[in-house]
Amino acid sequence: CVLCRQAAADPRVCGSVWKFGRVRAHLFCALFASDLPFNGAEEAQFSVIGNDDVRLVAERVAQEHCFVCQRSGATIKCSCCNLRFHLPCAARGQCVAQFYSDFRAFCSSHSPRQVVQVTPESGATCLICQEAVDNELCFRTMVCPTCQHAWIHRACIQGLALSAGTSCFSCPLCRDKEAFQREMLYMGIQVPVRPPAWDDIQEYAGQMERHQRCNASECLCPGGRQQEEEEG
Ligand SMILES: [Zn+2]
Ligand SMILES: [Zn+2]
Ligand SMILES: [Zn+2]
Ligand SMILES: [Zn+2]
Ligand SMILES: [Zn+2]
Ligand SMILES: [Zn+2]
């Protein structure tokens, strides 16, 4: 990829590699590139990109440094300041990339915050991995905006979103889909637009089964601990 220059970059973060004229770049590295004329263009409009655009941008940002890895060629600029970074460096630098419409990205100081005013009860764990969450909402620890009781790690919910896709991705606890997906997209979770493959459905069901009983010390589930258990 001429944009991030990281051959080993995770395709789940950067997307597949596309050919742009004589050069190749990850799909999302291109969509998030702040200096490309089509920044924010939908995937379907990719056919109108000039063949040389990606190469020219790669040359133009050759001297721009990534504030995370300190290396050059940082194609993404924070929407609020001049800090730049590479897409594969985003998570390590606690930067947020919003995988929809304008494909905006933010450095760690300007990354979006959840507006709900809730704090995890002591001993609260992530619904997906069952490990402890942080003691406040932060880059790593998020909550479902609907039930405000489903604590999730960013990395864990990102994994779930990738296997569920837009058709299945919902709160692991209250199953709210619309507001939950909107909030997760806003917070930088990538939710692929596709119906889930059968293997994904099974994997998703498996991940759901792990939350069989609410283990919060003070259960605030709308239907109480037992109901959650019955619903599985
Ligand atoms: Zn790339
Ligand atoms: Zn970097
Ligand atoms: Zn910024
Ligand atoms: Zn987790
Ligand atoms: Zn919920
Ligand atoms: Zn509960």
Side-chain angles (χ1 to χ4, degrees), residues 121 149 173 214-216 218-221 224-225 228:
E121 53 264 51
H149 188 52
L173 187 58
C214 177
N215 51 8
E218 244 181 285
C219 181
L220 301 170
C221 296
R225 248 179 248 274
E228 260 183 272

Side-chain angles (χ1 to χ4, degrees), residues 9 15-16 20 135 157-158 161-162 194 215-216:
S16 50
F20 298 93
N135 54 16
I157 201 67
Q158 178 61 84
L162 289 174
R194 57 166 169 74
N215 51 8

